[in-house]
Amino acid sequence: MGSRSFSGAKSFPGEDIDLEDGKVAKDREKISRCYRPVKIHNQALLSGLAYCISSCSMILVNKFVLSGYDFNAGISLMLYQNLVSVIIVSALSLFGVISTEPLTWKLIKVWLPVNVIFVGMLITSIFSLKNINVAMVTVLKNVTNVITALGETYLFQKHHGNTVWAALFLMIISAISGGITDLSFHAVGYTWQIVNCFLTASYSVIFIFGLTLRRVMDTAKQVTKSGNLNEFSMVLLNNSLSLPLGILLVFAFDEVDYLSKTPLLRMPMFWLVMTLSGFLGLAISFTTMWFLHQTGATTYSLVGSLNKIPLSFAGIILFKVPITLENFFSILFGLLAGVIFTKAKMRERSQS
């Protein structure tokens, strides 16, 4: 599922500087220099592990709900997860643990178009995960990078190096060969995943180039009381706005009839797993913010790319996915291509 919240330009509190007493400021700087490396090292490692565990667990638990329990109401699953997130964030804000902006009508109107794409990404991701094994979902998500790169090149004349294009070519080959050799191939699942790739790519292109979305961010900040829209507020905003839209889609996709008949809703263990998935969805948002704060976008991208490797193998083993040698190497090929692509993009950023 990736990150379930949209985080725009990150704004983290910086260190205070004492301008009145230069000596005190220098002493503080010396002390901070002595202790900073150990603190940052431990925090970065811990936050990275927390992010990896929460993101992997979220996908595996969702797969267990959808396939293990054979739950056929994906939109309702998303709706419940987002409801859990709203309740937890609201409670934390109420008790003063975190600060969030109040949801005003002006803010809702500004953010609603972004939220529609957000909901679309979540729903199509759930629909694809229902019918495709975790490893192939991970490999097919690489197609998003291909679509994004093509959009950057042809729509915005952004130049990419040969290494990036080579990695993208490897991604395409692995996705095609993986689909051909997939013993559990499901046309509907693959279709939903391709739709998800296009939605995610359009979201990424808009975000990268600041078209529309940056204006939305600026406008959203202007209509808040504090003049700022922090990450917790965006988590609350996205998940809150998704609830009425999710309810409409539950009726549109006729999930109400299924929910009224399924015996799963009378099983306490099923509700426990569903609630756990909601907690994990929120955990991804918080650990992503924490990890980015301790490291940076470059490390976050690389770790996220490497994290797909154990996730894919865990999905194959836990759900006993039938796999051929050809399909195994296609998946491995695609995962390695993702790592190469991430490193190539990192090199591009450093050169620019």
Side-chain angles (χ1 to χ4, degrees), residues 117-275:
I117 303 178
F118 171 77
V119 171
M121 288 192 300
L122 291 184
I123 292 175
T124 53
S125 179
I126 288 176
F127 284 170
S128 65
L129 191 61
K130 165 71 177 174
N131 299 301
I132 311 176
N133 67 71
V134 174
M136 278 310 302
V137 166
T138 305
V139 170
L140 289 172
K141 281 183 179 294
N142 284 337
V143 176
T144 301
N145 296 323
V146 178
I147 299 171
T148 302
L150 291 173
E152 291 172 354
T153 301
Y154 291 103
L155 296 178
F156 307 107
Q157 287 76 49
K158 180 177 173 61
H159 175 73
H160 292 294
N162 293 331
T163 309
V164 170
W165 288 115
L168 292 172
F169 179 73
L170 294 178
M171 289 178 183
I172 296 172
I173 296 299
S174 67
I176 294 174
S177 61
I180 293 173
T181 57
D182 185 5
L183 296 177
S184 56
F185 179 86
H186 196 287
V188 175
Y190 272 70
T191 301
W192 279 118
Q193 184 53 53
I194 296 300
V195 173
N196 176 262
C197 288
F198 275 98
L199 281 172
T200 308
S202 61
Y203 195 84
S204 300
V205 169
I206 291 172
F207 170 65
I208 290 169
F209 288 91
L211 299 176
T212 305
L213 197 51
R214 183 168 297 171
R215 288 198 294 270
V216 170
M217 286 290 295
D218 291 338
T219 307
K221 290 177 180 180
Q222 290 171 10
V223 298
T224 57
K225 288 186 177 180
S226 67
N228 187 32
L229 191 65
N230 62 29
E231 291 81 1
F232 301 115
S233 297
M234 283 188 278
V235 171
L236 181 61
L237 185 58
N238 258 336
N239 286 284
S240 298
L241 290 181
S242 71
L243 298 182
L245 184 56
I247 292 172
L248 289 175
L249 291 172
V250 164
F251 283 96
F253 281 77
D254 199 26
E255 289 189 359
V256 176
D257 184 57
Y258 170 79
L259 293 173
S260 64
K261 295 176 181 178
T262 180
L264 291 174
L265 299 185
R266 294 188 290 273
M267 295 172 57
M269 184 55 68
F270 177 73
W271 280 105
L272 181 64
V273 176
M274 285 260 288
T275 304

Side-chain angles (χ1 to χ4, degrees), residues 275-294:
T275 304
L276 174 62
S277 70
F279 274 95
L280 288 171
L282 186 59
I284 292 176
S285 300
F286 285 121
T287 55
T288 296
M289 296 173 204
W290 184 23
F291 191 33
L292 279 167
H293 178 70
Q294 295 299 327

